[in-house]
């Protein structure tokens, strides 16, 4: 799975966040109604005409290959695919939509698509197009606003614990299942030869903010209340900040490294012995070790250790939506339905390593036979979507900076929680 692009896909959200969400005025009618071409039902007749698809480079690089069966079954359909660099994707998409020149179908990222979830921008998913229950729940929920679904999941990922199984065996320890077991486990890995038990993220940016959100959920907290208000200055958020800081204060992680690009070389060399990361790493470690089979004998995975409220991670990946002003909505939704099918998502996995968002696709032998993916499957069943508010990326980025101050002992967790609440209230949720 050659997926360093995952971080690139998320990195683009930070750029949008720091510049605030770009306005989508002009992308559709301002009365909140759906476009005239909105499709209520999609039948089984062949798709015809032309469908213009935009996607970010990465998982979509193999899109033409994956949709070949669909094009063969619909010979009167032309699918035009435009791939855009990750760092430019949302900016170009928003500009095109605002100018009335957007595609028919666009890829989104469930962790950062909130600003698009509106009937002036996207068409509601037609009734009966797909079965919502066939997907991991949080991935489907990430595209739903006001009981209206706007996107359909395409691929999935989440975070789990990836660790050096050889060092764990040497130390006589098993993967931790609770927060309280985490530090002893990491120290045991150090006693077995690792310099640091954990290669923690030290970017102090949006990704750290996402980590803290995940830990807050594990502690039993929330990020936004049912009334749509930020709930960040809470005991659970304080616990999350303290838990993250404990990796550094206990000496099991280092605030000076590894950087993101160094994470895998550190892990392979034993300078670190675990990572809290996504599934793409699994397919890259043999390359980092310069030895085929290294991963199978040196690496294991496990769901994240549970806080007071359990083992919760976040859901991320890719989704598809049909633009409100699509000239060929019927064929566009037929293409999206194809991309959401289990067999198509298995084909996507085989072509690029993208993990399916459709639960049943995980039963395919190509995926089920990969032992290191089991923990990610387990974790995906216990995930949450980030807040569906346009300012979440801004808040997560600021939370990352507050995390740095706590980890380096320059600020208390309580003060950081108060700071992030004040900041979040100052930027609002975009719904005020």
């Amino acid at each position: 799975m050659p997926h360093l692009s995952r971080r690139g896909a998320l990195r683009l959200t930070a750029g949008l966040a720091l510049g605030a969400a770009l306005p989508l005025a002009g992308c559709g009618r301002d009365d909140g109604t759906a476009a005239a071409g909105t499709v209520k039902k999609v039948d089984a007749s062949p798709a015809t005409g032309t469908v213009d698809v935009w996607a970010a480079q990465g998982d979509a690089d193999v899109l033409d290959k994956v949709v070949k069966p669909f094009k063969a079954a619909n010979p009167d359909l032309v699918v035009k695919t435009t791939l855009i660099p990750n760092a430019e994707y949302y900016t170009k998409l928003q500009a095109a939509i605002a100018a009335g020149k957007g595609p028919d179908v666009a890829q989104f990222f469930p962790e950062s698509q909130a600003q698009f979830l509106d009937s002036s921008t996207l068409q509601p998913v037609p009734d009966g197009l797909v079965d919502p229950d066939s997907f991991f729940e949080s991935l489907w929920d990430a595209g739903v606003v006001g009981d209206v679904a706007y996107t359909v999941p395409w691929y999935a990922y989440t975070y789990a614990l990836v660790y050096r199984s050889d060092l764990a065996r040497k130390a006589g320890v098993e993967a931790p299942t609770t927060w309280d077991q985490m530090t002893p486990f990491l120290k045991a890995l150090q006693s077995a030869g690792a310099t640091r038990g954990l290669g923690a993220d030290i970017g102090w940016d949006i990704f750290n903010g996402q980590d803290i959100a995940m830990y807050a959920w594990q502690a039993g907290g929330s990020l936004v209340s049912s009334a749509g208000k930020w709930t960040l200055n809470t005991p659970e958020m304080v616990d999350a900040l303290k838990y993250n800081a404990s990796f550094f204060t206990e000496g099991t992680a280092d605030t000076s490294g590894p950087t993101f690009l160094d994470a895998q070389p550190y892990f392979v060399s034993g300078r670190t012995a675990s990572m809290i990361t996504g599934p793409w790493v699994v397919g890259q470690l043999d390359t980092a070790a310069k030895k085929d089979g290294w991963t199978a004998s040196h690496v294991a995975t496990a769901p994240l250790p549970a806080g007071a409220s359990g083992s919760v991670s976040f859901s991320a990946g890719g989704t598809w939506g049909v633009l409100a002003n699509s000239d060929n909505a019927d064929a566009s939704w037929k293409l999206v339905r194809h991309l959401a099918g289990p067999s198509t998502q298995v084909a996507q996995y085989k072509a690029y390593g993208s993990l399916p968002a459709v639960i049943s696709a995980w039963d395919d032998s190509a995926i089920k036979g990969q032992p290191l993916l089991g923990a990610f499957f387990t974790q995906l069943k216990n995930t949450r979507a980030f807040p569906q508010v346009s300012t979440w990326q801004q808040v997560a980025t600021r939370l990352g900076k507050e995390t740095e101050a706590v980890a380096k002992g320059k600020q208390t967790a309580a003060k950081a929680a108060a700071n992030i609440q004040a900041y979040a209230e100052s930027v609002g949720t975009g719904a005020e």
Side-chain angles (χ1 to χ4, degrees):
M1 285 179 273
H3 285 329
L4 283 175
S5 60
R6 287 300 200 297
R7 194 173 178 97
L10 287 169
R11 180 69 67 188
L12 67 91
T13 69
L16 283 178
L18 294 175
L22 295 176
L24 293 177
C27 63
R29 284 192 295 280
D30 59 6
D31 61 0
T33 60
T38 295
V39 175
K40 296 296 184 182
K41 287 279 189 180
V42 177
D43 60 26
S45 64
T48 61
T50 298
V51 172
D52 189 12
V53 180
W54 282 22
Q57 289 179 345
D59 297 76
D61 290 352
V62 298
L63 197 57
D64 284 344
K65 178 179 180 180
V66 171
V67 300
K68 271 186 177 181
F70 180 76
K71 289 193 287 187
N74 298 271
D76 294 326
L77 177 71
V78 175
V79 178
K80 295 182 178 179
T81 303
T82 300
L83 298 180
I84 299 171
N86 269 306
E88 305 169 15
Y89 180 63
Y90 269 178
T91 301
K92 288 192 173 183
L93 179 61
Q94 286 179 311
I97 293 172
K101 298 180 180 179
D104 295 296
V105 178
Q107 178 200 346
F108 300 95
F109 302 99
E111 62 272 25
S112 61
Q113 65 188 18
Q115 65 266 38
F116 298 97
L117 304 180
D118 183 89
S119 60
S120 65
T121 305
L122 292 176
Q123 296 191 21
V125 178
D127 296 339
L129 183 80
V130 294
D131 177 7
D133 293 335
S134 67
F135 303 98
F136 292 107
E137 183 177 2
S138 62
L139 284 170
W140 179 264
D141 289 348
V144 178
V145 174
D147 294 326
V148 177
Y150 291 99
T151 60
V152 175
W154 173 37
Y155 68 87
Y157 75 89
T158 191
Y159 276 7
L161 180 66
V162 179
Y163 65 96
R164 286 285 298 269
S165 57
D166 57 329
L167 297 181
R169 287 192 297 269
K170 182 178 178 181
V173 294
E174 297 183 351
T177 59
T178 66
W179 280 12
D180 288 344
Q181 295 171 0
M182 187 65 163
T183 291
F185 173 75
L186 296 176
K187 288 187 173 181
L189 296 179
Q190 291 176 184
S191 71
T195 305
R196 299 284 186 180
L198 177 68
D201 190 337
I202 59 160
W204 315 119
D205 53 18
I206 188 172
F207 307 103
N208 297 95
Q210 292 172 343
D211 291 345
I212 298 301
M214 182 171 65
Y215 299 147
W217 289 331
Q218 292 173 8
S222 63
L223 306 176
V224 177
S225 72
S226 58
K229 303 297 182 181
W230 290 108
T231 55
L232 303 173
N233 188 13
T234 63
E236 293 83 6
M237 178 60 71
V238 172
D239 287 346
L241 288 159
K242 287 181 177 178
Y243 175 60
N244 184 77
S246 71
F247 302 144
F248 304 98
T249 58
E250 293 287 345
T252 57
D254 193 334
T255 58
S256 63
T259 61
F260 173 68
L261 293 178
D262 288 332
Q264 294 176 48
Y266 270 53
F267 182 82
V268 167
S269 69
R271 293 182 68 178
T272 60
S274 68
M275 296 180 279
I276 295 172
T277 189
W280 56 91
V281 168
V282 171
Q284 298 170 340
L285 292 174
D286 275 6
T287 300
K290 299 180 180 179
K291 183 179 180 181
D292 290 342
W294 184 90
T295 304
S297 59
H298 290 77
V299 181
T301 59
L304 296 178
S309 191
S311 172
V312 185
S313 189
F314 63 86
S315 58
T319 61
W320 294 107
V322 174
L323 274 291
N325 292 333
S326 168
D327 291 329
N328 193 354
D330 181 74
S332 295
W333 282 120
K334 288 173 179 175
L335 173 60
V336 171
R337 182 170 60 190
H338 170 78
L339 292 168
S343 62
T344 305
Q345 296 201 357
V346 170
Q348 176 71 30
Y349 169 77
K350 291 178 178 178
Y352 195 80
S354 315
L355 296 179
V358 176
I359 297 172
S360 63
W362 286 73
D363 287 331
D364 189 273
S365 59
I367 301 171
K368 199 169 187 177
Q370 304 298 320
L372 296 181
L373 295 182
F376 293 98
F377 179 66
T378 298
Q379 194 67 69
L380 276 165
K381 292 185 287 187
N382 194 4
T383 53
R384 295 186 191 176
F386 288 123
Q388 295 159 309
V389 298
S390 61
T391 55
W392 164 243
Q393 282 77 47
Q394 291 171 263
V395 172
T397 300
R398 179 61 178 267
L399 181 53
K401 293 304 295 182
E402 297 292 340
T403 299
E404 178 181 17
V406 179
K408 293 182 175 180
K410 297 179 179 179
Q411 180 172 259
T412 66
K415 177 61 175 173
N419 287 350
I420 192 59
Q421 178 72 27
Y423 176 78
E425 290 178 355
S426 74
V427 301
T429 62
E432 290 84 355

